[in-house]
Amino acid sequence: MSTAEDLDPSPDVLEFELVAEKLPVDLTGNGLVANAYTFNGGTPGPELRLQVGDTVIAHFTNRLDEPMTVHWHGIELDNPNDGTTITQDPVMTGETFTYKFRVTRPGVFWYHSHSMPTNKEFKGLFGPIIVTDRADGELTELGVLPLQTHTLLLSDTTVCKEPGKNDFATFPEDPQIPWAFSDQYGPFAGHFAYPTPKDLCETPRDNHGNLLESGPLAAGEIPNVMPPGNCGPQFDCRVNEGQLVLTNGQRATPRAGSPDAPGAVEDGIDHISVRAGQGVRLQILNASVARYFRLRLTDQRGQKIPLYRVGGEGGLLNHVRLEGGVQQGLDFKFDQGEILLSNATRKDVVLQVPEDAGIGDVLTLWTLDFRHYGTQEYPNGYGNLPTVPVAHFRIVENATSPVFAIEAGDPLRVHPAIDDPIEDIRSQEIKDHLLDPYGFDEPQPGISDETVSLAIVGMRESMDGIHGIQLEGTEAGDFRAVPHVYSSRWARLGDLLELRIHNRTQMHHPMHLHGFSFQPVRLIERRDAEETVVFEYPPEFMDTVDVPPNHILVMRVRLEDRPYIETGEPGGGTGRWLFHCHVFNHAGLGMITELVVIEPR
């Protein structure tokens, strides 16, 4: 994965060219060439590495045969640069658009298309952004954080084969991997559910999910996966995970066996070289359309090596965390010491290479299935997605002194040398509330209900019973003409709000708010009319949070202003900011609304 070529000599400005075009890319290193959507010739696109306060100037050129915008996911920028179809007109084929913004919060972020996004991301159109502050450097110098750091951008896709040879099942049963899908799990386990690779490649869809009459796709093409807007009783709304799991745009070298009993690694291993006893920092992003990544690290003998979380979407945490298992009253549905990344989430993770690891040993980071559809338990604790490696770590040197050590609870931002804890807005007094848009001098569509309801209506995902797909605008229309929807929320700049996201569906939904970071406060399980608090969150700023089925997520957001980048004038925080599920097809089918921020009182 490349880094952006800086065109500006100033140390606090990153100016670069960003070009989207369709190009052949080898996804496996051994000849599986896909005609992917690329940024600057690659998937992922170039990595942006920045310091808090830096300015980014991205000169974007669209060479695809379809319009698009670029969204800078998680960055708190001024509204005109958010890169959605309610903040700008799509960039047409052959045209250019310059994005300019300042990064004000540390964390792991990313950029991707936000114009009919489901298909473009499945085809490879995304790239990572890493923003650091003084705490990163100082804690690394102190040895609290490892020096060796790697970005892992995880995704998946399906590549068409020769017409007539595409698979009838997305993940066929394989007796060599018994922990993966088997017919014994029942006919609705998902692998033979429509649409399969045969369906997607032999009877392809257009960008909006409608069936084309052009015949099957050629080998190497990546199919469109977005279902049509009228799916439901007439047409299946499902989007399967991609067949091929990618790390930084390449399939990790396969390994025989399972996480608990790993076998031989295929020749030509693409690995990260490490020393026994050292620490390694991984900044991990999930850029997939529908796949959740449940990550487990095991050694040569199948012993689990804990993954410690040190940060994520809002920079470093106050303390090191060990996630998973049962904590407070919540069963996370993945084991303690594993890491779960729902769609669009990012986590900053540290691992400690075992001190007794031998030279030549290979540690493997695997992704296991995570049941984010439905509430039934899997037999034997596993699910219906094959377990595959996403990264390997080869021991090339014996342990030396001192050996890196990390434990849950170790201080990070509250370390005495840093003393810069995360601001905690979870307990501040709430005086502000959503506005009633019908009370404006010119009444507007929208509601003031501070509980956002996620539900299935007509077999399609919705917010507050509304399918907000009109917020996707049109591929060539005036963004200022995109109407508000009846689930739109309205608020004033500077307000501190407490909102509730009530997931009334039988699946997980990673909810993303554009433009503003928020703090999760608590998770409430709701059964019938009874509500029980099952988890209280530590302080952390996020922009995407996973909400489990039958739960209510309470979150706080302060609508902080930022200047317009071109003029320096205040008010850049005003405007229309999307709020949607980041399973891309859920948003595309209607689980999308907006937060409209107007001038303060």
Side-chain angles (χ1 to χ4, degrees):
M1 183 166 55
S2 64
T3 56
E5 181 181 354
D6 194 356
L7 305 176
D8 191 300
S10 304
D12 57 353
V13 176
L14 173 59
E15 182 175 5
F16 68 106
E17 301 285 345
L18 186 67
V19 178
E21 59 186 326
K22 185 177 180 180
L23 293 170
V25 176
D26 187 346
L27 300 180
T28 63
N30 61 2
L32 178 56
V33 175
N35 294 316
Y37 282 8
T38 67
F39 278 126
N40 291 10
T43 175
E47 182 176 65
L48 315 184
R49 296 203 70 93
L50 305 159
Q51 293 282 331
V52 169
D54 285 356
T55 296
V56 175
I57 304 172
H59 302 291
F60 171 64
T61 300
N62 181 17
R63 293 182 183 164
L64 297 174
D65 61 1
E66 55 189 283
M68 65 166 287
T69 61
V70 182
H71 170 54
W72 310 90
H73 186 117
I75 305 295
E76 297 175 31
L77 33 59
D78 63 337
N79 190 256
N81 284 283
D82 193 42
T84 73
T85 46
I86 59 173
T87 63
Q88 70 170 100
D89 291 339
V91 182
M92 306 301 288
T93 302
E95 294 184 351
T96 62
F97 184 92
T98 295
Y99 295 93
K100 186 176 181 181
F101 55 88
R102 186 171 293 110
V103 293
T104 58
R105 191 184 297 281
V108 182
F109 307 100
W110 63 305
Y111 58 94
H112 59 85
S113 166
H114 218 289
S115 176
M116 298 300 294
T118 303
N119 300 316
K120 292 185 178 70
E121 275 64 32
F122 198 68
K123 296 180 181 184
L125 213 51
F126 40 69
I129 306 172
I130 309 296
V131 183
T132 58
D133 64 1
R134 73 174 184 91
D136 284 89
E138 292 183 17
L139 290 175
T140 301
E141 289 182 5
L142 291 168
V144 175
L145 293 174
L147 179 63
Q148 187 173 355
T149 302
H150 300 275
T151 303
L152 302 182
L153 192 150
L154 307 180
S155 63
D156 65 358
T157 195
T158 293
V159 181
C160 294
K161 300 177 181 178
E162 292 289 343
K165 296 183 179 180
N166 290 290
D167 295 329
F168 285 84
T170 306
F171 303 106
E173 183 178 2
D174 186 344
Q176 300 302 313
I177 48 174
W179 63 89
F181 174 70
S182 169
D183 280 334
Q184 67 177 325
Y185 294 0
F188 302 107
H191 288 76
F192 295 99
Y194 180 89
T196 68
K198 177 180 179 297
D199 299 313
L200 295 171
C201 295
E202 305 280 344
T203 53
R205 307 168 175 182
D206 67 13
N207 208 28
H208 300 275
N210 302 305
L211 294 180
L212 293 169
E213 298 179 358
S214 57
L217 298 176
E221 293 297 313
I222 299 175
N224 290 329
V225 294
M226 181 66 196
N230 64 349
C231 70
Q234 302 87 4
F235 197 87
D236 199 307
C237 297
R238 183 181 175 86
V239 170
N240 292 331
E241 291 85 353
Q243 288 185 298
L244 191 64
V245 174
L246 304 174
T247 303
N248 297 339
Q250 289 269 303
R251 181 191 63 176
T253 304
R255 183 170 196 170
S258 70
D260 300 331
V265 184
E266 287 188 8
D267 292 339
I269 177 174
D270 180 16
H271 64 267
I272 296 170
S273 297
V274 296
R275 185 186 72 248
Q278 80 165 88
V280 181
R281 186 176 176 186
L282 305 174
Q283 294 172 317
I284 313 175
L285 307 87
N286 180 355
S288 67
V289 168
R291 182 185 294 262
Y292 278 47
F293 286 93
R294 175 186 171 185
L295 302 179
R296 177 188 295 178
L297 178 67
T298 58
D299 66 11
Q300 192 84 358
R301 300 178 298 277
Q303 297 297 309
K304 184 175 69 175
I305 299 170
L307 298 169
Y308 295 91
R309 191 156 83 88
V310 298
E313 299 166 15
L316 294 173
L317 305 172
N318 284 341
H319 298 89
V320 176
R321 297 183 198 166
L322 199 59
E323 299 189 329
V326 178
Q327 299 188 34
Q328 301 177 33
L330 179 63
D331 184 350
F332 281 87
K333 306 296 184 182
F334 62 95
D335 294 343
Q336 190 171 59
E338 297 178 345
I339 289 291
L340 179 72
L341 288 101
S342 57
N343 305 86
T345 59
R346 294 88 63 203
K347 295 192 176 180
D348 200 342
V349 173
V350 168
L351 64 96
Q352 181 180 354
V353 180
E355 186 176 359
D356 60 353
I359 292 179
D361 286 356
V362 176
L363 317 178
T364 296
L365 184 63
W366 309 77
T367 180
L368 291 71
D369 191 31
F370 177 77
R371 182 106 188 192
H372 60 287
Y373 284 94
T375 56
Q376 299 175 1
E377 294 297 327
Y378 286 134
N380 306 318
Y382 291 99
N384 63 357
L385 291 186
T387 297
V388 296
V390 298
H392 301 287
F393 305 85
R394 184 186 289 276
I395 313 301
V396 296
E397 186 179 347
N398 290 321
T400 58
S401 183
V403 171
F404 179 82
I406 188 170
E407 295 288 345
D410 285 354
L412 295 169
R413 298 206 74 90
V414 296
H415 191 285
I418 305 301
D419 192 24
D420 185 20
I422 298 168
E423 181 188 10
D424 191 349
I425 64 173
R426 298 168 306 151
S427 58
Q428 296 179 15
E429 183 180 0
I430 295 292
K431 299 179 180 179
D432 308 311
H433 296 278
L434 292 173
L435 306 174
D436 178 6
Y438 288 97
F440 296 166
D441 292 340
E442 295 184 13
Q444 299 290 333
I447 55 177
S448 58
D449 191 342
E450 291 174 340
T451 295
V452 179
S453 180
L454 311 180
I456 303 298
V457 176
M459 304 203 52
R460 292 163 47 203
E461 288 77 16
S462 75
M463 294 182 75
D464 303 297
I466 302 296
H467 295 121
I469 54 176
Q470 65 200 65
L471 292 173
E472 286 288 349
T474 64
E475 293 187 339
D478 184 347
F479 76 93
R480 290 160 294 196
V482 176
H484 301 294
V485 294
Y486 288 98
S487 59
S488 298
R489 265 62 172 191
W490 298 71
R492 293 192 183 276
L493 196 63
D495 284 358
L496 174 64
L497 303 174
E498 180 170 285
L499 305 176
R500 289 160 51 106
I501 307 173
H502 184 187
N503 184 356
R504 305 171 74 170
T505 77
Q506 295 300 304
M507 62 190 76
H508 287 245
H509 294 289
M511 301 303 298
H512 170 50
L513 175 63
H514 286 228
F516 301 94
S517 296
F518 56 80
Q519 286 190 348
V521 178
R522 67 185 63 90
L523 193 63
I524 300 168
E525 184 178 29
R526 183 178 174 91
R527 296 291 180 182
D528 298 323
E530 184 176 346
E531 297 185 0
T532 304
V533 176
V534 292
F535 191 76
E536 297 277 357
Y537 289 85
E540 178 181 7
F541 282 102
M542 305 170 69
D543 57 71
T544 309
V545 63
D546 188 46
V547 186
N550 305 313
H551 283 74
I552 298 169
L553 187 283
V554 181
M555 56 178 273
R556 294 238 176 141
V557 58
R558 187 171 56 213
L559 305 179
E560 293 181 315
D561 196 15
R562 69 294 310 255
Y564 286 106
I565 192 70
E566 292 295 344
T567 66
E569 296 294 322
T574 60
R576 304 175 68 178
W577 303 97
L578 290 175
F579 183 35
H580 61 90
C581 178
H582 223 285
V583 176
F584 280 118
N585 51 291
H586 290 179
L589 289 174
M591 193 169 276
I592 184 170
T593 189
E594 63 178 338
L595 177 65
V596 187
V597 180
I598 64 175
E599 294 289 345
R601 295 176 180 84

